[in-house]
Amino acid sequence: MMAEYDVIVVGGGHAGVEAALAVARMGKTAAIVTMDAKRLALMSCNPAIGGVGKSHVVKEIDALGGLMGEAIDATGIQFRRLNLSRGPAVWSTRAQADRIKYNDYVVDFVRRQESVDVIEGVAGEILADAGRAVGIVTEDGRRIGSRAIVIATGTFLGGLIHIGEKKIRAGRIGEKAAWELSESFRALGFEIGRLKTGTPPRIDGATIDWSRCEIQPGETPIPFFSSRSSREQFDQTPCHLTYTTAATKLLVSANFEASPIFSGQINSTGPRYCPSIEDKFFRFADKERHQIFLEPEGNGTSEVYPNGFSTALPEEIQRQAIRTVAGLEEAVVTQPGYAVEYDYCPAYQVKPTLETRRLEGLFLAGQILGTSGYEEAAGQGLIAGVNAVLQIEREPGLVLDRSEAYIGVMIDDITTHSTTEPYRLFTSRAEYRLALREDNARDRLHQYARKYRLINEAEADHFERLDQATREQIKHFQKKRVAVADLGELRARFQKRENISLEGLLKQPGITINEALPIIARFDGELSHEREVLERAAIWIRYKGYIDKQQREIEKFKRMEGAVIPADFSYDTIAGLKQEAREKFRRFRPGSLGQAGRIEGVTPGDLAVLSIHLKKWSGSGE
Amino acid sequence: MAAGRCDETIVAVITPPGEGGIAALRIAGKRSLSFLESHFRSTSEDSPQFKPFLMRYGHFVGRDGNVIDEVMAVYMPAGRSYTGLPQVEIFCHGGRQVVQLIQQQIVNDGARMSEPGEFTRLAFLSGRIDLAKAEAVAEIIAANTDSSFGAAREHLLGAYAEHVTVLREALVDIAAEIEASIDFPEEDIDAAGSRRLVEMLDRTIGSIGELVESYTGGRIIDEGYRIAIGGRPNAGKSSLFNLLLRQERALVTPTAGTTRDYLSEWIDLGGFKVNIIDTAGLRRGGGQIERAGQKSAKRIIDSSDILLWMVDLSKKNWQAELKADIKALEKTAIILLGNKIDAVPAGAEKAWQADSNNLLLTSCKTRKGIADLKKSLIVRINDKMPDLTDGLVVTSARHKQKLAVALKALRAARRKMAASESPELTAFDLRLAIGAIDEITGRIYTDEILGKIFSRFCVGK
Ligand SMILES: Nc1nc2c(ncn2[C@@H]2O[C@H](COP(=O)(O)OP(=O)(O)OP(=O)(O)O)[C@@H](O)[C@H]2O)c(=O)[nH]1
Ligand SMILES: [Mg+2]
């Protein structure tokens, strides 16, 4: 079959778009096959990008030349950083998007991107030839050839929407689902599982009594995501916070049976971190009220997203329940909430490059691998796109490890654990959390961005200058001493000393960087004026001790990652390996001893046996 | 190729050497059952097949067809035996010779004699026992006194493992709340400043601290109570050493400076394992070898649980020397022995103006005072012994080290909580502590924290 494109990307969501753009940046051609060319990177659920752990991924995508950060910067209506009262490692930017503008921005960007085509259609079958993916057939019979394929179909694969007893075959309300493609996966021998997620009803903002809600303004100066953004400061749109009432609890609790989540109509598991409102009242029966964030969907629409009110109750009950929430007494529901069940491919079936083990040249990314979230999907999409190109070029793939990126933590987690719920990133998943920060995403990933030509020369130079300036700033902080008497309100914390280095000031327990920097700015004269440089240098100093302490751990980790298990390694001949461990190893096919140790249920004993045999194996091979 | 060694079948006598009522032999590996079957002749009509865990009575028959002994034998299938491998145990009448004859037959069949600790290693590798249990088993094997066996057995039964697990659980609980406050900043979870968490942490720090301290007792159980014999040259140290050992181990001569290096032996004193060390006499000057011996003597004295400092009462200026020596030694755990009491007139010891240190009068020649010395040693050891009934004693140096790492990290976490430091730094220390404890039990910190968070807090919007 003739390859019309280097890479076909099935699905035009957040993963698909990043995949196609990465392919194009690496100088190859891509086609996005999607149902509606005008609905690229649509926000199917909440109109927001970022949040704890997720913002770190957006910064990583940005460092690797991806679009997500730029798109939200250009179309966001409110920005703020969560966890600002905590340390900089967990500062997490979150932005409300203008849903329609975000969508338009991405459509426009993709249209202007050379060597990316958008083809409207529904992929129905994956074509394979001699163990290699060679193209797709659309449901209406068009055959498109390619050298590699990325599948990023989100919740569309076998999508089934539930609203009360009502069932609709769709991946998103008002759209179709892709049922044939699911069959194609099964026919190719993939194991398919089923997951569930949900979304709240949407409300007409004009019918909300805002005076009964708490206002949540944006942060100034606006903390943008992307290093490539040049948007000016603007007037931000606030969000609001409100609460459910005793009436909500009563009504929802009386109707548990009417929800498909409890009636037995849905068997698949939903995320514990994003429970439906009926789940919340059911599982935490002693909690009287729950908070609901009212998030605007944009400036050009009055539609509001009540974050925290995901539900699959029958429409009529939803309408009544919404009206029991403070401030929503007169609220009009414009679109009902729903639960959606969809097919996914348990991620043990892909390598850490996201290429399937079964079919060469076939890559999966996003919800199809059991994750949730736009950011998680986009991060995988980018990696899948890069690796599709590297695979075509017969180059070794790009695998970020757990000490390098949240993207690495995520891919490692899903490929070493069975999925029991849609996977979402949390900072607590990262054992090297203090080293994986928003501020140093580029420090961590710049080398890859350069190596794979994911950013242009100007961007690379810009970062290298920033890096240089940061180093100089750090040296300056280390050298410069100031009189304690000049420290203003921080003076009292240094009673016994006469003077102190700026480094010492920044390391002082109990003084936050945000307290220290304005004081330091008073000794301005010799300091850099760039806030980013100051902040980066201060954060570096702040965590240096901890990161040095963790360095030994990281080295141990890297050694274990370096103990490669050959792809053809056979677990059958290993005597002394528990059957359970043997099955786990066969299923997850760890690429290294380190990865083998992280597989759920593997004991140190199993690992010891494996390592002994691995040594023998490599010994006999030479 | 990959299999190799693991296909081997190994054999060993597993009861201690000496004449006992019954001796036992263990065979582990793929061919263990076939080895047994080829030698076993049932003396009754029962089924000719071995059923798992069913003890059978019969004769052990040699290759030449002669009956070697009456035996009881039992078979354990793979995965259900101690080693995890197919395993056979044979119990025969005692006597070194009989057991060795049987073992020889199995070796002739193609089995290999096991290496020390190999069964336990296999058990660990097969996942039958965790690291802590493997170490406890190793301790049982090495245990050769009553009290040592008690502590090792408690370890094995898991009282200790359970205690450590409970402590770990508490830490995971604390960590979960702190992590929840970081990962869900918009929910109303304020863990960092919570008094309840601080109290929980304090309790855990206390318990781990006690465990770390129990190590001194644990080490005494494990390595023996350490008694150093010190004193000026020719005081009679080596004579005492030999007396306590009940054998002429050290060279005894009238020449000062006979013992140049140190001698170390283990004895059983009132059921306790005791390590006695005879040192070179301490004095100024002396040759190079002697000086080296004195250096090591000083080290041994410093690290001993008790020092028996001997003075030769027949020397003229012994009081002045003793005063100076006590000052220089800076050792509090000390018993002063006034030796050679047989060679001096009665009442000579009265010249010693004791403030706190009384002289215990001894004679290595007549054995006067030796029984009293032993008695007072036993009392002292007993005081140092931890309470073994709850088994919560750390006897492994490795465990102690890990617990100390955890303790240090937890104290750092505690300071940060008190100072309202940022929670990701407290979490850093907690993770360090949990990691250290995981190295004792060999567990891995995975999704537990998140699991805790989701079961306890209604998070998520
Ligand atoms: N009369 C008498 N002689 C003793 C007694 N104890 C030891 N001796 C003698 O004192 C001499 C020295 O005894 P050692 O046991 O070798 O003394 P040491 O302290 O080990 O001497 P160095 O190893 O040289 O430091 C020997 O001749 C012993 O027989 C005792 O209680 N009474
Ligand atoms: Mg001597």
Side-chain angles (χ1 to χ4, degrees):
Chain A
M1 161 161 219
M2 232 256 307
E4 295 164 56
Y5 294 95
D6 291 311
V7 181
I8 288 177
V9 177
V10 178
H14 303 275
V17 165
E18 294 292 356
L21 293 177
V23 169
R25 283 197 301 277
M26 291 175 80
K28 298 277 188 258
T29 60
I32 299 176
V33 176
T34 187
M35 290 176 187
D36 184 346
K38 284 182 284 310
R39 310 199 83 175
L40 295 181
L42 202 68
M43 297 187 172
S44 335
C45 199
N46 66 327
I49 297 281
V52 181
K54 290 166 173 276
S55 67
H56 295 72
V57 173
V58 179
K59 297 269 180 176
E60 288 169 5
I61 291 169
D62 196 60
L64 293 170
L67 183 63
M68 185 170 256
E70 284 171 73
I72 184 62
D73 282 354
T75 62
I77 55 175
Q78 189 213 56
F79 292 76
R80 61 200 184 96
R81 281 178 297 171
L82 307 177
N83 270 334
L84 267 189
S85 64
R86 280 75 185 259
V90 294
W91 291 350
S92 306
T93 313
R94 187 176 186 281
Q96 291 302 138
D98 184 315
R99 222 172 145 254
I100 298 188
K101 280 197 184 144
Y102 187 94
N103 177 214
D104 288 346
Y105 181 93
V106 174
V107 169
D108 189 53
F109 191 95
V110 170
R111 192 173 43 77
R112 283 186 288 114
Q113 176 72 52
E114 271 170 54
S115 62
V116 176
D117 286 350
V118 180
I119 299 172
E120 285 193 350
V122 179
E125 189 187 347
I126 297 156
L127 296 172
D129 184 24
R132 196 175 165 92
V134 294
I136 60 154
V137 185
T138 60
E139 286 191 357
D140 58 13
R142 281 171 288 161
R143 297 166 76 88
I144 311 167
S146 68
R147 298 161 75 193
I149 301 175
V150 176
I151 307 280
T153 44
T155 58
F156 280 78
L157 213 58
L160 185 64
I161 284 178
H162 299 259
I163 307 172
E165 283 181 3
K166 201 158 73 180
K167 283 186 265 185
I168 311 161
R169 281 192 168 207
R172 208 156 41 204
I173 199 106
E175 296 179 43
K176 293 198 296 179
W179 284 75
E180 284 183 22
L181 194 58
S182 255
E183 284 319 307
S184 176
F185 266 100
R186 285 201 181 85
L188 287 167
F190 285 96
E191 186 198 322
I192 299 290
R194 211 137 165 84
L195 286 172
K196 183 210 99 179
T197 187
T199 196
R202 307 300 194 267
I203 304 168
D204 180 357
T207 61
I208 295 176
D209 177 1
W210 297 106
S211 69
R212 303 203 52 196
C213 310
E214 214 175 282
I215 190 160
Q216 288 196 310
E219 179 184 336
T220 37
I222 299 175
F224 289 113
F225 278 96
S226 176
S227 61
R228 291 184 287 277
S229 291
S230 54
R231 189 171 174 190
E232 297 290 319
Q233 301 288 318
F234 63 92
D235 269 343
Q236 302 186 63
T237 309
C239 289
H240 289 81
L241 173 62
T242 185
Y243 290 91
T244 61
T245 62
T248 321
K249 185 173 179 176
L250 214 62
L251 182 64
V252 171
S253 304
N255 284 288
F256 283 151
E257 283 303 307
S259 171
I261 298 167
F262 295 107
S263 68
Q265 189 174 318
I266 296 179
N267 301 316
S268 44
T269 25
R272 286 172 299 176
Y273 49 83
C274 191
S276 62
I277 193 77
E278 48 266 44
D279 241 339
K280 288 184 188 179
F281 282 117
F282 181 77
R283 287 183 44 225
F284 297 92
D286 50 349
K287 200 164 171 182
E288 291 310 320
R289 61 173 202 174
H290 297 278
Q291 50 185 14
I292 306 294
F293 292 86
L294 299 174
E295 303 178 355
E297 297 232 336
N299 286 337
T301 169
S302 74
E303 198 152 79
V304 167
Y305 179 97
N307 201 340
F309 210 91
S310 170
T311 180
L313 286 166
E315 251 182 279
E316 192 39 44
I317 300 173
Q318 288 189 27
R319 286 179 207 284
Q320 291 171 24
I322 275 288
R323 292 188 165 201
T324 61
V325 176
L328 303 186
E329 292 80 0
E330 308 285 323
V332 170
V333 169
T334 53
Q335 178 197 298
Y338 58 86
V340 56
E341 282 187 290
Y342 55 96
D343 287 341
Y344 79 104
C345 267
Y348 70 85
Q349 298 170 104
V350 297
K351 305 173 189 171
T353 56
L354 301 182
E355 184 182 20
T356 61
R357 297 186 188 285
R358 207 163 266 286
L359 208 57
E360 208 174 285
L362 179 67
F363 293 77
L364 308 182
Q367 273 166 308
I368 192 170
L369 286 179
T371 62
S372 87
Y374 312 141
E375 304 81 357
E376 285 88 343
Q380 291 168 60
L382 195 153
I383 297 293
V386 169
N387 282 328
V389 172
L390 293 174
Q391 211 283 333
I392 291 171
E393 290 176 342
R394 305 278 156 202
E395 297 278 341
L398 168 61
V399 176
L400 302 173
D401 77 34
R402 301 182 73 89
S403 69
E404 288 175 316
Y406 272 91
I407 294 176
V409 170
M410 165 174 65
I411 294 177
D412 186 64
D413 277 346
I414 62 172
T415 51
T416 54
H417 290 73
S418 296
T419 317
T420 50
E421 67 183 335
Y423 177 98
R424 179 210 196 278
L425 267 171
F426 296 105
T427 69
S428 52
R429 294 200 194 269
E431 49 277 70
Y432 310 118
R433 171 166 59 197
L434 301 184
L436 304 183
R437 306 184 303 268
E438 280 193 358
D439 72 274
N440 72 352
R442 278 178 291 169
D443 303 61
R444 295 183 271 121
L445 302 174
H446 183 67
Q447 49 162 323
Y448 302 113
R450 277 219 95 142
K451 181 172 173 193
Y452 299 115
R453 309 175 307 280
L454 297 169
I455 53 173
N456 63 35
E457 282 301 314
E459 287 160 6
D461 288 349
H462 175 261
F463 172 69
E464 277 151 25
R465 274 199 308 278
L466 176 71
D467 184 39
Q468 190 53 38
T470 307
R471 285 167 203 270
E472 277 159 24
Q473 188 64 55
I474 290 168
K475 272 197 211 121
H476 177 77
F477 280 152
Q478 287 168 332
K479 268 206 323 264
K480 171 89 175 175
R481 298 186 75 82
V482 298
V484 167
D486 297 338
L487 287 181
E489 52 270 39
L490 297 182
R491 228 169 113 176
R493 320 255 185 115
F494 301 92
Q495 281 160 350
K496 292 203 182 91
R497 287 152 70 188
E498 290 190 343
N499 62 64
I500 183 174
S501 71
L502 291 178
E503 180 187 31
L505 174 63
L506 284 164
K507 275 187 172 164
Q508 183 70 19
I511 297 181
T512 67
I513 286 181
N514 289 332
E515 283 175 308
L517 278 182
I519 306 270
I520 287 176
R522 287 187 210 152
F523 309 98
D524 211 4
E526 311 116 85
L527 298 182
S528 159
H529 290 273
E530 244 183 286
R531 175 177 132 169
E532 190 179 13
V533 173
L534 287 176
E535 217 174 76
R536 279 166 51 89
I539 295 171
W540 189 90
I541 285 174
R542 181 79 171 158
Y543 284 128
K544 182 169 189 310
Y546 292 91
I547 288 169
D548 285 350
K549 209 166 164 182
Q550 211 163 45
Q551 204 50 45
R552 237 175 304 136
E553 299 275 315
I554 293 182
E555 277 158 24
K556 203 163 104 192
F557 160 79
K558 296 255 187 201
R559 263 202 308 283
M560 290 289 276
E561 296 305 292
V564 172
I565 304 177
D568 60 342
F569 185 72
S570 161
Y571 295 95
D572 303 339
T573 51
I574 300 184
L577 201 57
K578 271 181 308 171
Q579 192 53 28
E580 191 196 337
R582 195 191 308 274
E583 274 159 22
K584 285 273 157 71
F585 288 147
R586 276 209 206 111
R587 186 176 163 91
F588 289 98
R589 299 222 61 95
S592 69
L593 218 48
Q595 215 185 21
R598 289 191 297 275
I599 295 173
E600 52 189 359
V602 168
T603 66
D606 301 329
L607 210 58
V609 174
L610 179 60
S611 79
I612 290 164
H613 285 277
L614 205 55
K615 273 186 200 121
K616 274 188 209 145
W617 175 283
S618 58
S620 68
E622 280 155 16
Chain B
M1 221 190 44
R5 260 181 101 93
C6 289
D7 278 338
E8 284 180 318
T9 296
I10 58 174
V11 59
V13 176
I14 53 173
T15 39
E19 302 288 317
I22 301 273
L25 189 99
R26 178 180 287 156
I27 315 171
K30 269 194 185 148
R31 295 164 70 195
S32 49
L33 183 59
S34 74
F35 287 161
L36 173 63
E37 282 171 340
S38 70
H39 291 284
F40 187 83
R41 296 282 174 278
S42 173
T43 49
S44 63
E45 298 301 310
D46 65 1
S47 120
Q49 297 246 307
F50 272 93
K51 294 205 187 80
F53 300 104
L54 206 68
M55 186 79 89
R56 293 184 70 200
Y57 170 75
H59 286 154
F60 192 93
V61 183
R63 274 271 172 83
D64 53 8
N66 291 329
V67 172
I68 295 177
D69 198 1
E70 286 175 25
V71 297
M72 303 279 280
V74 63
Y75 164 66
M76 291 155 250
R80 294 173 66 194
S81 71
Y82 177 64
T83 55
L85 302 175
Q87 186 177 311
V88 155
E89 278 169 20
I90 303 171
F91 303 86
C92 61
H93 291 109
R96 201 78 196 137
Q97 236 186 328
V98 178
V99 155
Q100 270 170 357
L101 269 176
I102 294 180
Q103 178 172 265
Q104 195 53 51
Q105 292 282 334
I106 305 290
V107 170
N108 290 345
D109 289 343
R112 174 174 61 78
M113 299 263 274
S114 87
E115 292 156 21
E118 194 169 2
F119 288 123
T120 302
R121 205 169 64 235
L122 284 171
F124 169 65
L125 288 182
S126 71
R128 292 287 297 176
I129 54 176
D130 66 22
L131 213 54
K133 282 197 187 127
E135 284 171 359
V137 173
E139 279 173 32
I140 283 200
I141 293 166
N144 41 26
T145 57
D146 292 351
S147 57
S148 184
F149 185 70
R153 198 180 51 211
E154 287 293 342
H155 267 202
L156 189 63
L157 291 178
Y160 166 77
E162 219 175 276
H163 184 62
V164 174
T165 306
V166 168
L167 291 176
R168 180 186 181 282
E169 199 70 8
L171 292 178
V172 171
D173 276 339
I174 298 169
E177 293 206 23
I178 291 176
E179 294 290 2
S181 79
I182 295 172
D183 273 335
F184 301 93
E186 291 178 300
E187 313 283 339
D188 32 12
I189 304 165
D190 179 30
S194 150
R195 271 235 346 233
R196 191 175 42 82
L197 281 196
V198 171
E199 280 163 16
M200 239 167 112
L201 185 58
D202 279 342
R203 272 197 303 279
T204 316
I205 287 176
S207 300
I208 295 182
E210 274 169 30
L211 271 184
V212 171
E213 270 163 35
S214 82
Y215 173 69
T216 317
R219 181 190 47 72
I220 291 172
I221 295 174
D222 201 36
E223 293 171 14
Y225 186 78
R226 211 174 289 154
I227 301 177
I229 307 176
R232 299 241 167 186
N234 220 34
K237 302 182 291 295
S238 300
S239 305
L240 177 66
F241 183 70
N242 289 343
L243 267 180
L244 292 172
L245 245 59
R246 296 204 196 87
Q247 69 179 55
E248 299 304 309
R249 174 76 174 77
L251 192 64
V252 173
T253 71
T255 324
T258 304
T259 308
R260 296 294 180 86
D261 198 358
Y262 68 91
L263 289 168
S264 168
E265 284 294 341
W266 277 265
I267 60 160
D268 182 314
L269 199 63
F272 298 115
K273 185 162 148 187
V274 166
N275 178 204
I276 320 182
I277 309 155
D278 178 23
T279 66
L282 285 178
R283 67 170 167 190
R284 278 183 196 98
Q288 205 173 12
I289 297 172
E290 204 178 330
R291 275 210 304 277
Q294 292 186 358
K295 222 172 169 182
S296 71
K298 185 79 177 85
R299 208 185 55 237
I300 286 158
I301 286 170
D302 287 343
S303 68
S304 64
D305 292 308
I306 187 97
L307 168 64
L308 305 182
W309 185 260
M310 278 194 126
V311 248
D312 181 349
L313 296 182
S314 67
K315 266 172 96 176
K316 275 208 190 68
N317 57 341
W318 67 267
Q319 295 112 306
E321 279 183 3
L322 181 55
K323 231 180 215 145
D325 289 344
I326 289 175
K327 218 172 147 202
L329 282 167
E330 295 178 322
K331 180 100 184 165
T332 48
I334 189 167
I335 297 178
L336 300 181
L337 301 178
N339 193 33
K340 306 196 187 176
I341 190 73
D342 59 287
V344 295
E349 80 281 0
K350 296 229 171 74
W352 176 243
Q353 250 81 52
D355 303 322
S356 54
N357 284 307
N358 279 312
L359 275 179
L360 194 90
L361 304 177
T362 58
S363 164
C364 296
K365 207 164 175 181
T366 65
R367 303 200 178 186
K368 184 180 181 302
I370 300 298
D372 287 344
L373 172 63
K374 281 187 184 171
K375 253 183 238 155
S376 88
L377 280 173
I378 291 169
V379 169
R380 273 172 187 267
I381 299 171
N382 205 31
D383 283 351
K384 276 273 179 112
M385 276 323 230
D387 181 8
L388 290 183
T389 50
D390 61 2
L392 304 182
V393 180
V394 180
T395 59
S396 143
R398 193 181 71 84
H399 289 192
K400 186 231 164 178
Q401 193 241 329
K402 296 295 170 206
L403 287 168
V405 168
L407 193 61
K408 197 172 156 207
L410 292 176
R411 289 195 172 128
R414 175 68 178 78
R415 276 195 302 278
K416 284 179 187 130
M417 281 173 98
S420 299
E421 266 275 23
S422 168
E424 84 277 9
L425 298 179
T426 311
F428 177 91
D429 291 321
L430 283 172
R431 194 182 275 266
L432 221 63
I434 295 171
I437 292 178
D438 282 353
E439 285 184 56
I440 294 176
T441 51
R443 282 173 63 173
I444 302 164
Y445 177 94
T446 46
D447 286 341
E448 275 176 283
I449 298 257
L450 285 170
K452 283 250 150 98
I453 294 177
F454 298 137
S455 67
R456 298 252 296 282
F457 302 107
C458 179
V459 293
K461 304 197 284 192

